[in-house]
Amino acid sequence: MFDTGRMSIRSLATGPVDDVDRAAVLGELAERIRPTVLAAERTLAAPPPLRPLFPAGGPARGSVLAVEGRGATSTTLALVAAVTGTGSWAALVGVEAVGWSAAVRAGVALRRTVSIDAPPTSRWATVVAALVETVDVVVVDPRHQVSPADARRLAARCRERGAVLVRLVVPDGRPRYRWPTSADLTLACDATWSGLGEGSGVVDGARLRVRADGRRTAPGAREVEVRLDAAGRLVGDEVPTSGGRGHLRRVV
Amino acid sequence: MGAAPSGKEPGGGSAVRTVVVWCADWPAVSLGRPAERPVAVVRANRVVSTNAAARAAGVTEGLRRREAQRRCPSVEVHERDPDREARAFEPVVAALDGVTPRVEIDRPGCVLFPARGPSRFFGGDVAMAGVVRDAVLGALERPVAVGVGVADGAFAAGWAARRSLARAGHPARAGRRGSVVVAPGDSAAFLADLPIGALAVEGPAAVGVTAERRELADVLVRLGIDRLGRLAALDAADVVARFGALGLAAHRVASGDDLRPPHLTEPPPDLEVSVEPDPPLDRVDAAAFVAKSLADELIARLAPRGLAAVAVLVSAELAGGRVVERRWRHEGALSPAAMAQRVRWQLDGWLTHQRRLDDGRGPDPGGGPIVRLVLRPEEVVPDAGRQLGFWGGDRAARDRALQGLARVQGLLGGDAVRMAEWCGGRAPAEQFRLVPLDALDLDDEGGGSGPAVAGPAPWPGRLPDPPPPLVWGRGPAVQVLDPAGGGVQVDGRGTASGVPAAVLVDAGPPRRVEGWAGPWVADERWWDPVAHRRRARLQVRLDDGSVHLLVLEAGHWRLEATWD
């Protein structure tokens, strides 16, 4: 779903509007309708605040993404939301702990997202391969050691089919094994949730710093700082005022 | 073998004399709860079925769950489960097999069959109705209000059955009082006084699709046509001109005619699909998968001819040689999902029934697991087709996705692929539930996200936004310690016994609490000693930066959710 919190079209009747502003507004509009045009192209849609992380402006079809760190789940939900919002389907395999309220807030289309219980280890690769052929985004969180052969086969299958495999690690305290192959792009997240005081306040959002490291790009090449607002949506950087709710937003 | 009940009644219209057996409130009463306990069945947070005791307490269909609980605090609320309803209905249908071989199931709780043969056999409509009623009541474990209606045409018979429910009074009273027989040719007169809303109600021979029906009834009422008799009095050509095919169907039905055209083409025999499962089916989940593939195959054969099935015969040959058959009929054409669902219900019903018989009387020599399954369309109509979405590709994408997901279902079982559906609740884990893909109606776009998308609706005791992205089903036990090292408890007034200073998750190392808020106390169903739950929640930020939701219940803390 499109985030409309950041943008407003200034009424042209209220006074003189200079051309630079108008161009900026139109540019923003073009950005917003871009995802529908991308449907058949080589990238999937990405939430606008996270676009700078991807070399092509969105997750490249056929790539393997790894999302890790504190805030990985929220970032993944935002990515899934952007993709399902443009009509694609997504599947989560073995990610039973996802909070669906948060998913809905992030904009995930529930009617195009399926959740598959963690398959038995012996069938995990077969199931994920079948899903890669079917949907555009597959989010996995394997709790077993994925064999190098399986990892390579899955990556190849993704490339063939133009699907994106997202490797997520859910912080449930259980041990995880290293993937034998490296991802095409790794998003390292670092979230700081705010709002809690000493027995007062309430969790009201987070500052989320995401760094993208690719196989072929220099490490730390792209980094964005975004905010998860009180409603659970990912929004771009804003002019912060005092903490807590009701902060001002920079309006175009 | 003629598929449709044939035979025009002399002097009457083209309508076939039909018997409809209607078990009132089947979703609610099939749960098997004692009749005096109020029961409400909900789906997507709305009540869809109630038993008499619940209605007496003011709980009606269409209410939200909370409203129902407010009106009747002791009401038992259950989620709708069509599979269970179908399974529970199988003994009833099996009992009716003894009356007539031509039983057709409209939906769990409602069956219909042509009246002519049994009526002649039992000596008249009234006597037959009595026999049918006794058979049904005998097959039910608990007394259920059963209505039997006999009339020309399924629609009239359905309303006759409803009328008989209203008259019968005590559900267990057998005999003539429990049935309504409309004399041949009198259907139109019988229906004339019914309000137009009768068209919109679900039942056998209902016209069109639910939303269309309601809209048509609405328009008719606003035009001043408030009774079925008035609609029947209009000229058919005028009705068609104004309302189209749907209006014509409504006109026919209001006039006491059958919806089905009198001359049906017998579907060609090569439309029958069959499979011989190896190993023979004796488990419901294997049966479900076979059902789906068989239904898909049948649709694949019908679609290129531009046909859709409205009635389908499911026939199974058991290992012992016995053949069991069942007919299912559906308003409108059966979609692949609906057909697969009915086949699944049927197999489920047979297998469960078979097991029950085996347990009771020892193994049945003619029975055993299913060795051959046949699906035959009994009635086909030209497929009206479906309007593709505006962005036509959307539907194509969906069909592709569903096909691929069917493969995954084949690998892991039908219930392994699920979608989230809003069901309303307070705790993060209770607001959405995962429903198997087969059980969802994917056309119902609005049903998925619920008010959560429209904006935060007032829900007293709901935790404030943003919702946590990770919700642990049954989270690990945690210990919350105050600075002195003692456990933190929360009293009934919502005051914490101490400041949370450290948290141990799963008996791990203690983590310092750097920020916290709460406690939020939720005292749910305090009036119901069984369902009473008192929970208190805390939001904590630990020294490693993680933020969690902790919940206290009965003196023990658990990790409920994490903001990640």
Side-chain angles (χ1 to χ4, degrees):
Chain A
M1 286 323 199
F2 299 103
D3 169 66
T4 55
R6 214 166 64 106
M7 182 175 128
S8 78
I9 312 271
R10 197 180 318 166
S11 166
L12 296 173
T14 53
V17 179
D18 50 59
D19 290 317
V20 172
D21 262 344
R22 200 178 305 185
V25 168
L26 285 177
E28 181 84 45
L29 262 178
E31 276 272 298
R32 301 227 168 243
I33 60 174
R34 209 162 67 106
T36 54
V37 172
L38 280 180
E41 294 185 11
R42 299 313 303 159
T43 47
L44 291 176
L50 298 181
R51 283 203 199 123
L53 292 172
F54 301 95
R61 279 185 179 272
S63 61
V64 177
L65 271 180
V67 189
E68 53 196 33
R70 192 183 332 283
T73 314
S74 299
T75 311
T76 309
L77 287 178
L79 290 172
V80 171
V83 171
T84 56
T86 57
S88 299
W89 282 65
L92 299 116
V93 185
V95 193
E96 287 103 4
V98 67
W100 293 101
S101 279
V104 166
R105 285 313 167 81
V108 171
L110 289 187
R111 281 287 178 263
R112 285 191 285 277
T113 312
V114 292
S115 168
I116 288 131
D117 302 337
T121 313
S122 53
R123 322 202 78 175
W124 183 88
T126 325
V127 170
V128 177
L131 286 167
V132 162
E133 310 231 337
T134 310
V135 301
D136 282 332
V137 174
V138 184
V139 180
V140 298
D141 182 19
R143 304 217 186 92
H144 64 284
Q145 170 73 279
V146 179
S147 76
D150 282 341
R152 274 194 300 269
R153 256 197 296 264
L154 282 177
R157 194 73 69 98
C158 284
R159 270 194 303 272
E160 264 172 44
R161 295 293 174 166
V164 171
L165 187 68
V166 178
R167 289 158 30 180
L168 176 65
V169 176
V170 157
D172 58 359
R174 310 240 296 262
R176 294 292 195 284
Y177 301 88
R178 279 199 43 180
W179 272 73
T181 54
S182 51
D184 293 315
L185 195 71
T186 305
L187 299 179
C189 310
D190 185 17
T192 319
W193 292 88
S194 59
L196 291 179
E198 292 291 324
S200 63
V202 71
V203 172
D204 67 358
R207 292 209 74 77
L208 180 60
R209 211 175 19 231
V210 187
R211 198 181 70 234
D213 288 314
R215 267 206 257 198
R216 294 176 201 91
T217 61
R222 295 162 213 274
E223 187 168 318
V224 295
E225 196 163 311
V226 296
R227 202 180 139 72
L228 271 163
D229 68 5
R233 290 188 304 254
L234 205 69
V235 295
D237 217 358
E238 298 157 2
V239 180
T241 58
S242 53
R245 298 184 195 233
H247 46 257
L248 295 174
R249 288 196 177 147
R250 184 170 60 212
V251 169
V252 171
Chain B
M1 180 181 115
S6 61
K8 298 185 176 192
E9 285 298 318
S14 59
V16 168
R17 202 150 170 77
T18 311
V19 181
V20 167
V21 179
W22 185 279
C23 298
D25 311 315
W26 186 252
V29 302
S30 61
L31 287 163
R33 308 297 296 139
E36 61 277 2
R37 294 223 65 188
V39 169
V41 174
V42 299
R43 179 171 159 70
N45 219 39
R46 282 209 184 267
V47 175
V48 293
S49 180
T50 53
N51 67 353
R55 278 197 297 276
V59 177
T60 56
E61 291 178 27
L63 290 180
R64 286 194 179 278
R65 179 198 292 246
R66 262 183 79 76
E67 177 63 22
Q69 286 170 336
R70 190 184 68 79
R71 292 192 188 187
C72 174
S74 57
V75 69
E76 285 183 24
V77 175
H78 297 262
E79 282 293 336
R80 179 98 195 262
D81 185 359
D83 293 353
R84 180 194 51 75
E85 292 164 26
R87 212 179 305 138
F89 197 55
E90 177 61 24
V92 174
V93 188
L96 284 174
D97 277 341
V99 174
T100 169
R102 309 288 307 283
V103 177
E104 292 180 357
I105 312 178
D106 181 69
R107 79 200 60 219
C110 175
V111 289
L112 53 154
F113 55 88
R116 203 165 57 143
S119 177
R120 263 209 290 265
F121 183 81
F122 289 107
D125 287 338
V126 178
M128 168 192 63
V131 169
V132 164
R133 205 156 173 277
D134 290 342
V136 170
L137 287 172
L140 292 165
E141 289 169 354
R142 288 180 185 281
V144 169
V146 174
V148 178
V150 185
D152 298 333
F155 184 77
W159 279 96
R162 280 183 216 261
R163 179 81 57 90
S164 82
L165 275 175
R167 282 196 200 157
H170 193 279
R173 203 179 301 156
R176 292 189 206 165
R177 295 284 303 277
S179 68
V180 165
V181 176
V182 176
D186 276 354
S187 283
F190 171 73
L191 292 172
D193 268 338
L194 285 177
I196 282 286
L199 283 175
V201 174
E202 287 215 359
V207 299
V209 172
T210 313
E212 290 178 339
R213 289 205 294 269
R214 288 216 192 108
E215 205 183 307
L216 177 67
D218 223 14
V219 172
L220 286 171
V221 165
R222 276 184 276 139
L223 287 175
I225 305 166
D226 60 345
R227 303 263 158 214
L228 287 181
R230 293 219 188 145
L231 176 61
L234 296 174
D235 188 49
D238 291 338
V239 174
V240 167
R242 174 64 178 82
F243 296 108
L246 184 66
L248 181 62
H251 183 262
R252 290 182 64 127
V253 142
S255 317
D257 281 340
D258 245 338
L259 264 188
R260 310 172 231 173
H263 298 295
L264 271 178
T265 45
E266 174 97 9
D270 68 337
L271 284 182
E272 176 184 295
V273 294
S274 66
V275 70
E276 295 184 10
D278 180 25
L281 293 175
D282 61 350
R283 274 183 20 248
V284 176
D285 53 356
F289 180 61
V290 170
K292 186 123 199 295
S293 53
L294 211 57
D296 284 340
E297 205 186 313
L298 181 62
I299 300 282
R301 290 212 193 164
L302 287 172
R305 294 170 204 240
L307 296 174
V310 290
V312 76
L313 176 75
V314 184
S315 164
E317 189 182 319
L318 306 178
R322 196 154 52 129
V323 175
V324 284
E325 294 183 333
R326 190 74 74 227
R327 270 175 200 79
W328 286 83
R329 165 177 298 281
H330 185 63
E331 65 204 35
L334 284 161
S335 68
M339 195 180 292
Q341 194 181 41
R342 274 155 187 74
V343 179
R344 196 176 78 233
W345 288 347
Q346 193 51 61
L347 297 176
D348 194 357
W350 277 332
L351 292 171
T352 315
H353 195 53
Q354 181 81 352
R355 217 170 296 135
R356 227 178 281 153
L357 287 178
D358 288 350
D359 290 340
R361 300 197 303 242
D364 174 18
I370 298 172
V371 294
R372 187 157 187 269
L373 194 59
V374 179
L375 211 58
R376 185 164 69 226
E378 294 264 287
E379 278 175 37
V380 292
V381 294
D383 190 3
R386 285 173 311 189
Q387 179 71 37
L388 286 178
F390 187 36
W391 305 105
D394 196 37
R395 200 172 201 107
R398 191 183 90 179
D399 292 340
R400 266 201 312 275
L402 290 177
Q403 248 182 323
L405 290 171
R407 230 176 299 141
V408 178
Q409 283 175 312
L411 286 170
L412 296 176
D415 288 347
V417 178
R418 300 187 287 177
M419 263 190 188
E421 185 180 57
W422 186 74
C423 61
R426 216 173 260 120
E430 291 166 6
Q431 289 174 324
F432 285 83
R433 66 189 176 125
L434 288 172
V435 177
L437 200 57
D438 291 337
L440 275 175
D441 180 8
L442 286 175
D443 281 321
D444 178 20
E445 285 291 328
S449 329
V453 171
W459 193 288
R462 195 178 71 124
L463 288 159
D465 286 336
L470 284 173
V471 174
W472 311 110
R474 191 161 165 72
V478 304
Q479 281 187 288
V480 182
L481 306 175
D482 61 25
V488 171
Q489 292 289 317
V490 177
D491 69 8
R493 266 187 290 270
T495 324
S497 66
V499 170
V503 168
L504 289 84
V505 178
D506 241 351
R511 296 213 170 281
R512 213 181 59 241
V513 171
E514 296 200 337
W516 64 280
W520 285 272
V521 177
D523 199 350
E524 297 177 33
R525 321 273 331 268
W526 48 264
W527 54 83
D528 185 345
V530 173
H532 183 205
R533 284 188 90 168
R534 258 187 64 215
R535 291 180 281 196
R537 293 185 169 89
L538 281 182
Q539 294 181 345
V540 294
R541 189 177 70 246
L542 303 179
D543 57 6
D544 62 358
S546 58
V547 177
H548 304 279
L549 184 71
L550 307 177
V551 64
L552 172 70
E553 189 169 9
H556 300 288
W557 289 95
R558 303 199 85 84
L559 187 66
E560 190 169 30
T562 299
W563 277 268
D564 180 43

